[in-house]
Amino acid sequence: MNSHYNFIIAGAGGIAEAAGLLLAEWSTVPPTIFIGNRTLAKAEKVAQWIQEGTTKSCTVNAFHLSSTLTDEMKEVFTTGDIILDCLPGSMAPIIARFAKDFELHYANLTEYVNETNEIIDLAKDAKTGFILQTGLAPGYIDILANMLFQKFCKDFEVDKVEKLEFKVGALTDHAVAPHYYGFTWSPVGVATEYLKCALVLRDYKKTELPSLSERARIIIDGITYEEDLTSGGAADLPDALSGKVRWLDYKTLRHPGHYAWVEKLLIGTENTEDTIETLQYEMERVIPHIENDHIILYAAVEGKDKKGKLHRREVAKKILPLKIGKHTLRAIQTTTAVPLLQAAQLLLESSNKGVLLQSEIDPIPFLNGNFVAAVYGEVLT
C-alpha cells in the first residue's frame, strides 16, 4: 500500500494471520491493523504473532468481534478504511452489513453461493466498494481463467470457445490410505464444497450439477491427480460467460483415491446441512491436520480459430510455503491472502462503489499486482 490505511481483519485463523503479516511486511507505508474475533484471546494471540513476525514497524490491535454491535466495535469501525472478512462464509452477510453501515470497503473469501448472493443484494447501493470471493478458489483462479478466455478470443478473433476449465488443489506433500488427504485448511469448507451443488456451463447454458459427480484424472507436470466438481469455485463466471463458453467448470484436485473414500462415507446419506456436519465429523475423525502443503492450480481454454483449427492454451502453477518476515506461511495461507490484499488495494486506490465480482476485475493488472505476483509469479500479457 502506498498510503496509510486502517485495516480491520475479521477472524483470527490462518488466513487472517497471513493477511496481517503480509500487510505489515509488504506495504510501502506501514498500516494500522485491527484483528477482531469472537474469542478475544485468540485475536490477541494473532496480533502478537504478527508483531513478533514482522521486520517492519506496524501497529496491530486486537478487539472483540460480536455478531451484535458493541461500543468497542463502533470505535474500530469508525476509524477503519476496509474490512477483510476472513471468517467462515456463514458469517459473511453480518460482516458485510457492518461494512455498509459504517461506509467501509469490504472484501471476503467465501465460496458460499447463497451468502454471496445475499451480499450482492445488500451492497448494490453501497457508497463503498465490495469485492466478493477473492481468495484462491474462488478468486485468483477465476481471474486467471477469465484472462485466458479474453486473450484467446482476442488472439484468434473469435467470441466463443469450446471449453474453459480451471482447477485447484490444496494438497499435502504425502498422502496415505485410506483417505489420501490431510487438512491444510477449514474442514467445514471442505465438507461444504463436497456437498453443495456446482455451477457450470453446459452447451453454453448455466446449470447446477451435484458436486463429486464428474470425476476424472489429469496429469499436470507429469503427476497424476484426480479432479471432481465442487461448489463455489466458479464464482460468477457461469453467469458472465453464458452463451460464450460451451463447457465451463471448476474442479478441485486431489491425490488419487481420496474421492472414492469420500464417496463411501456418503453412501446412504441425504444432502442436507446435517450431512455437512456429519461429513466434517467423519473426516476429522481420521484425517490429520498437516502443516507441509503445496498448491497446484491449472487453467485451460480450448476452442477453434476463425478458420476452424482447434487450439488449447494452458497455465499450471505449483506454489510452496514462503517465508514472510520471521515466519514461514503455508502455501494455502499466501495463495488465499494475497488476492484478498490485492482486492483491498484495488478498492482503496479506486472509486469503486457497490459490488465488484470476479469477472468484472481487469485481469492483467490484478494478476500482475504487487501482492499477487510476489506469490504466484507474473502472468504474460
Side-chain angles (χ1 to χ4, degrees), residues 78-128:
T78 300
T79 61
D81 294 299
I82 188 169
I83 296 179
L84 305 182
D85 187 353
C86 300
L87 289 168
S90 58
M91 293 290 294
I94 295 172
I95 306 302
R97 168 60 71 179
F98 289 142
K100 183 181 180 183
D101 289 347
F102 284 86
E103 296 186 8
L104 298 163
H105 293 295
Y106 172 87
N108 75 17
L109 302 164
T110 184
E111 74 274 18
Y112 289 19
V113 175
N114 291 339
E115 286 78 0
T116 297
N117 291 335
E118 188 176 340
I119 296 172
I120 290 172
D121 186 60
L122 165 74
K124 58 188 176 185
D125 59 347
K127 296 180 181 179
T128 52

Side-chain angles (χ1 to χ4, degrees), residues 219-225 296 316-318:
I219 299 172
I220 302 173
D221 289 333
I223 298 175
T224 300
Y225 302 93
I296 299 294
K317 294 177 181 286
K318 181 177 182 178

Side-chain angles (χ1 to χ4, degrees), residues 55-97:
T55 62
K56 306 289 183 64
S57 174
C58 184
T59 302
V60 188
N61 304 293
F63 71 100
H64 178 249
L65 179 64
S66 169
S67 58
T68 56
L69 193 61
T70 65
D71 289 340
E72 182 186 27
M73 289 165 61
K74 287 181 184 178
E75 184 177 346
V76 172
F77 292 157
T78 300
T79 61
D81 294 299
I82 188 169
I83 296 179
L84 305 182
D85 187 353
C86 300
L87 289 168
S90 58
M91 293 290 294
I94 295 172
I95 306 302
R97 168 60 71 179

Side-chain angles (χ1 to χ4, degrees), residues 42-279:
K42 192 171 182 181
E44 291 172 337
K45 184 177 180 180
V46 170
Q48 182 180 355
W49 183 89
I50 293 170
Q51 288 181 314
E52 290 175 350
T54 183
T55 62
K56 306 289 183 64
S57 174
C58 184
T59 302
V60 188
N61 304 293
F63 71 100
H64 178 249
L65 179 64
S66 169
S67 58
T68 56
L69 193 61
T70 65
D71 289 340
E72 182 186 27
M73 289 165 61
K74 287 181 184 178
E75 184 177 346
V76 172
F77 292 157
T78 300
T79 61
D81 294 299
I82 188 169
I83 296 179
L84 305 182
D85 187 353
C86 300
L87 289 168
S90 58
M91 293 290 294
I94 295 172
I95 306 302
R97 168 60 71 179
F98 289 142
K100 183 181 180 183
D101 289 347
F102 284 86
E103 296 186 8
L104 298 163
H105 293 295
Y106 172 87
N108 75 17
L109 302 164
T110 184
E111 74 274 18
Y112 289 19
V113 175
N114 291 339
E115 286 78 0
T116 297
N117 291 335
E118 188 176 340
I119 296 172
I120 290 172
D121 186 60
L122 165 74
K124 58 188 176 185
D125 59 347
K127 296 180 181 179
T128 52
F130 285 61
I131 297 184
L132 310 181
Q133 300 187 306
T134 185
L136 165 56
Y140 178 90
I141 194 65
D142 305 280
I143 298 175
L144 178 64
N146 195 30
M147 183 274 292
L148 285 175
F149 168 78
Q150 291 181 16
K151 194 168 189 305
F152 188 99
C153 290
K154 180 181 178 182
D155 290 350
F156 294 112
E157 300 179 31
V158 295
D159 57 10
K160 293 183 179 181
V161 302
E162 289 295 307
K163 293 181 181 179
L164 187 61
E165 49 189 279
F166 38 109
K167 318 167 197 297
V168 171
L171 301 170
T172 53
D173 294 343
H174 315 289
V176 298
H179 44 72
Y180 298 101
Y181 190 61
F183 283 118
T184 65
W185 66 290
S186 164
V188 66
V190 175
T192 300
E193 73 170 1
Y194 285 177
L195 291 170
K196 297 281 188 178
C197 285
L199 293 176
V200 303
L201 289 179
R202 294 293 183 263
D203 198 21
Y204 298 107
K205 296 178 182 178
K206 186 176 84 167
T207 188
E208 281 190 353
L209 291 177
S211 286
L212 309 188
S213 64
E214 289 190 355
R215 194 176 315 156
R217 290 201 171 192
I218 182 172
I219 299 172
I220 302 173
D221 289 333
I223 298 175
T224 300
Y225 302 93
E226 283 188 343
E227 59 175 49
D228 214 335
L229 295 174
T230 54
S231 70
D236 70 312
L237 292 191
D239 288 304
L241 299 181
S242 178
K244 300 177 182 179
V245 181
R246 184 187 298 277
W247 183 286
L248 176 153
D249 56 46
Y250 168 80
K251 289 184 173 182
T252 295
L253 299 170
R254 293 289 183 251
H255 293 300
H258 173 70
Y259 284 129
W261 179 80
V262 172
E263 198 170 57
K264 289 179 181 178
L265 291 183
L266 294 173
I267 291 175
T269 62
E270 296 181 6
N271 197 341
T272 67
E273 290 298 323
D274 289 340
T275 308
I276 293 175
E277 292 182 9
T278 301
L279 178 59

